[in-house]
Amino acid sequence: MQEDSDSIRAIQWTGDSLRLLDQRDLPASVNYLELVDAVSVAAAIRDMVVRGAPAIGITAAYGVVLAARQRYAESPQGWQGLLEGDIRLLTAARPTAVNLAWALQRMQRCAAGTEGDPVPLLLEEARQIHAEDIDANRQMGAHGAALIDANSSVLTYCNTGSLATGGYGTALGVIRSAWAAGKLQQVYASETRPWLQGSRLTAWELTCDRIPVTLITDNAAGFLMQNRRVQWVITGADRVTANGDVINKIGTSSLAVMCRHYDVGFMVVAPCSTLDFSLDSGAQVNIEQRSEDEVLTLADHRIAAAGASAWNPAFDITPADLVDCLVTERGVIRAPDRAKLAVLKPD
Ligand code: MRU
């Protein structure tokens, strides 16, 4: 057994402000931003100071606390109406991850039930959302690790760890748990162009927690599988629709197709807050398009030929039938489909 390492907390409530680890600067420097209002929280989500579906939801929940503090000071009678605008601003910050809307709806319900100063109750709710996420990650870690045989090697994509969640991680939480159980020979992380969440964030996070990691370029994944170097590809999700389609970082669906071809397991790890029963299938999801500069440049230097343009969707849709296992905090669903997923539908 290895030690259970989980040292990073990217989202911190200081007592009167929100402290976010600025993920744009990693791994070169470890900087924190201190935020005191909803406008700067929405900007931090939009500009990828904080990213990853659960982390965005938790951040937005603390953003509502900051907004309510400001609005209640401005108008102890009319703060609820003013807060609506802040919640709309936060909801629009990034469209694809359902955890954002999920957390904001929860905060909105809480705000509706308060009398007098709303801050203590809202802070309690935001802390609860944060704590529940870490707890869910620990449970998913145990469920997912149980699927992995001893002496396995795995490939992960994007960053799904403490940086992308309240702590511990989803797919990376499964890898942490499997590593702690001594089951893993090697962890491969794919670079994840264009933003390089794999090489910048996952590699940083794993090395901080002393879990050895080997990077591959995204286009090496097929050859890695063909050489039987991995038994599982393990990813997170930004949204799972009612039929089991998985919306996740662009490139995920290519990995799932290759897994099926090379008979490698494809595991998706996502808390119930990532399930969206309001949408029938992945085709209905609003896929975020990001700036073409992310593709045309590398570390702020133009690498593409002058005159070339770029198409830069941030996420793609993996059809449910390519998913071998969906791991949530409530257990494992093998070959997820609409009927099996319906069991997890909230009442
Ligand atoms: O654009 P990002 O970095 O926010 O994309 C993140 C992902 O695609 C993650 O896989 C997903 O949010 C799950 S994180 C636990």
Side-chain angles (χ1 to χ4, degrees), residues 95-136:
T96 305
V98 74
N99 304 64
L100 178 61
W102 172 87
L104 288 169
Q105 280 159 17
R106 208 168 133 171
M107 294 301 286
Q108 211 160 14
R109 279 197 298 274
C110 179
T114 59
E115 278 172 29
D117 181 358
V119 172
L121 259 183
L122 286 171
L123 180 56
E124 198 181 306
E125 187 72 355
R127 283 189 192 280
Q128 186 67 22
I129 289 172
H130 195 166
E132 281 173 18
D133 185 64
I134 299 174
D135 196 47

Side-chain angles (χ1 to χ4, degrees), residues 53-54 98-99 102 170 236-241 247 270-276:
V98 74
N99 304 64
W102 172 87
T170 57
D238 282 78
R239 194 182 288 246
V240 179
T241 53
I247 289 74
C272 291
S273 55
T274 303
L275 307 182
D276 181 1

Side-chain angles (χ1 to χ4, degrees), residues 48 51-54 94 158-160 164-165 170 197 236-238 248-249 315:
M48 311 269 283
R51 26 68 48 205
R94 277 191 91 190
C158 196
N159 172 266
T160 62
T165 63
T170 57
Q197 284 93 335
D238 282 78
N248 193 48
K249 179 53 54 195
F315 302 97

Side-chain angles (χ1 to χ4, degrees), residues 168-187:
Y168 202 69
T170 57
L172 218 55
V174 168
I175 289 171
R176 277 197 166 86
S177 294
W179 174 257
K183 287 181 160 184
L184 294 184
Q185 253 176 17
Q186 204 148 10
V187 178

Side-chain angles (χ1 to χ4, degrees), residues 23-334:
Q23 300 189 29
R24 299 169 304 182
D25 298 339
L26 289 172
S29 37
V30 179
N31 297 322
Y32 288 86
L33 295 186
E34 207 147 318
L35 310 178
V36 292
D37 59 31
V39 173
S40 49
V41 171
I45 293 171
R46 196 181 50 242
D47 299 342
M48 311 269 283
V49 170
V50 59
R51 26 68 48 205
I56 291 172
I58 295 161
T59 299
Y62 286 117
V64 173
V65 178
L66 295 171
R69 182 176 67 187
Q70 183 186 346
R71 299 310 184 187
Y72 185 69
E74 280 167 18
S75 170
Q77 260 71 52
W79 67 270
Q80 296 222 5
L82 298 170
L83 190 70
E84 295 290 322
D86 298 308
I87 290 181
R88 271 198 301 277
L89 181 77
L90 288 163
T91 307
R94 277 191 91 190
T96 305
V98 74
N99 304 64
L100 178 61
W102 172 87
L104 288 169
Q105 280 159 17
R106 208 168 133 171
M107 294 301 286
Q108 211 160 14
R109 279 197 298 274
C110 179
T114 59
E115 278 172 29
D117 181 358
V119 172
L121 259 183
L122 286 171
L123 180 56
E124 198 181 306
E125 187 72 355
R127 283 189 192 280
Q128 186 67 22
I129 289 172
H130 195 166
E132 281 173 18
D133 185 64
I134 299 174
D135 196 47
N137 290 339
R138 290 267 174 188
Q139 293 177 52
M140 291 189 288
H143 295 315
L147 299 169
I148 297 174
D149 292 334
N151 297 318
S152 294
S153 293
V154 298
L155 170 66
T156 190
Y157 195 56
C158 196
N159 172 266
T160 62
S162 294
L163 292 170
T165 63
Y168 202 69
T170 57
L172 218 55
V174 168
I175 289 171
R176 277 197 166 86
S177 294
W179 174 257
K183 287 181 160 184
L184 294 184
Q185 253 176 17
Q186 204 148 10
V187 178
Y188 291 95
S190 198
E191 281 183 309
T192 319
R193 275 281 289 152
W195 216 70
L196 300 173
Q197 284 93 335
S199 54
R200 296 195 306 106
L201 308 181
T202 298
W204 179 77
E205 183 170 336
L206 289 177
T207 51
C208 283
D209 283 339
R210 294 189 300 283
I211 300 175
V213 56
T214 302
L215 280 167
I216 60 164
T217 59
D218 298 330
N219 40 11
F223 197 51
L224 186 85
M225 295 184 205
Q226 194 176 46
N227 279 277
R228 310 234 48 83
R229 281 177 173 263
V230 286
Q231 285 66 51
W232 285 98
V233 169
I234 311 179
T235 77
D238 282 78
R239 194 182 288 246
V240 179
T241 53
N243 68 339
D245 287 351
V246 172
I247 289 74
N248 193 48
K249 179 53 54 195
I250 187 78
T252 303
S253 67
S254 321
L255 289 171
V257 169
M258 289 190 285
C259 279
R260 189 54 57 91
H261 183 77
Y262 289 116
D263 195 23
V264 170
F266 185 72
M267 187 193 304
V268 175
V269 188
C272 291
S273 55
T274 303
L275 307 182
D276 181 1
F277 289 97
S278 75
L279 296 186
D280 207 47
S281 78
Q284 296 169 312
V285 176
N286 179 5
I287 301 287
E288 175 185 1
Q289 294 286 331
R290 294 191 61 83
S291 159
E292 59 180 346
D293 288 346
E294 289 182 353
V295 177
L296 300 174
T297 64
L298 198 57
D300 292 333
H301 293 290
R302 171 120 190 166
I303 48 164
S309 61
W311 180 59
N312 186 19
F315 302 97
D316 65 17
I317 305 160
T318 300
D321 62 1
L322 292 179
V323 178
D324 292 311
C325 297
L326 174 67
V327 179
T328 74
E329 66 273 36
R330 292 177 57 187
V332 176
I333 299 181
R334 288 177 191 269

